[in-house]
Amino acid sequence: EIAEALQRRKFPSDVILDARMFPDPDAALLTRHSGRHHLIITRLCQHRNFGWWLQHAKAQFRKALHRQEKRGIGPMGPKISVAVYCRRGKHRSVAAACILKHIFLTEGFRCPEISHLSYAHWRNCCKMQCAECLQPPEELQVQLHHAYKHWSELP
């Protein structure tokens, strides 16, 4: 169903990841931000399900990379589209996409800007334009580094 919806929106994806397994009952103070906010990313990275989710994401990414290698990689290198979804597409999926982009860039892949397909429907949100989201503290880089370290240690 998600794959069909992405096709209809002209956004076919090689990897589709579910970010709904990151419930955060204490997130009420962060609803005015998108998932690019440093605390939302931090909470996702520290969530009890993050390790399993990251392992699943890496396995799916490797499968997509293997499929592409079998078809032949173009001169610009592999081109793999990853879609992450949750219930509203504003917090968990956005944070997960930011984490994955950091990991892929660190691994040496070229990554375009993240497309947030539900952006037009974000309500009561800074839409990544507040000072906290535009100028995150160094803690964000620490969390992203830990996420990459975890990724690099996975099989």
Side-chain angles (χ1 to χ4, degrees):
E1 184 178 309
I2 298 292
E4 292 169 2
L6 290 167
Q7 283 284 64
R8 285 192 304 272
R9 303 258 331 242
K10 307 277 191 268
F11 197 84
S13 298
D14 302 296
V15 176
I16 300 173
L17 301 169
D18 185 351
R20 293 176 297 175
M21 78 264 315
F22 298 112
D24 187 354
D26 299 323
L29 298 174
L30 298 171
T31 58
R32 292 220 175 271
H33 298 282
S34 79
R36 287 195 181 189
H37 190 274
H38 65 96
L39 289 177
I40 297 172
I41 292 173
T42 296
R43 290 161 89 122
L44 196 136
C45 287
Q46 295 175 354
H47 195 280
R48 68 182 179 277
N49 294 334
F50 184 70
W52 175 87
W53 182 87
L54 195 64
Q55 184 173 7
H56 174 73
K58 187 171 185 177
Q60 295 303 307
F61 180 75
R62 284 190 162 190
K63 285 179 186 176
L65 189 58
H66 181 70
R67 284 191 305 268
Q68 195 166 97
E69 286 171 348
K70 285 174 97 173
R71 290 190 305 254
I73 296 175
M76 299 299 285
K79 184 175 180 182
I80 297 173
S81 177
V82 178
V84 185
Y85 70 96
C86 61
R87 198 173 126 245
R88 295 251 187 227
K90 185 169 105 175
H91 296 111
R92 294 171 287 183
S93 61
V94 172
C98 290
I99 293 164
L100 290 174
K101 181 175 181 178
H102 173 81
I103 288 169
F104 296 149
L105 287 171
T106 305
E107 290 273 303
F109 292 98
R110 294 177 342 149
C111 299
E113 282 301 310
I114 297 171
S115 297
H116 302 291
L117 300 182
S118 61
Y119 182 84
H121 302 286
W122 291 1
R123 301 286 182 258
N124 302 318
C125 172
C126 73
K127 294 192 175 188
M128 304 174 290
Q129 298 304 312
C130 75
E132 284 184 74
C133 291
L134 290 172
Q135 300 166 348
E138 186 60 32
E139 172 64 19
L140 175 60
Q141 291 305 311
V142 170
Q143 288 301 321
L144 292 172
H145 174 73
H146 285 307
Y148 172 71
K149 188 171 186 294
H150 192 136
W151 172 279
S152 66
E153 292 170 354
L154 290 170

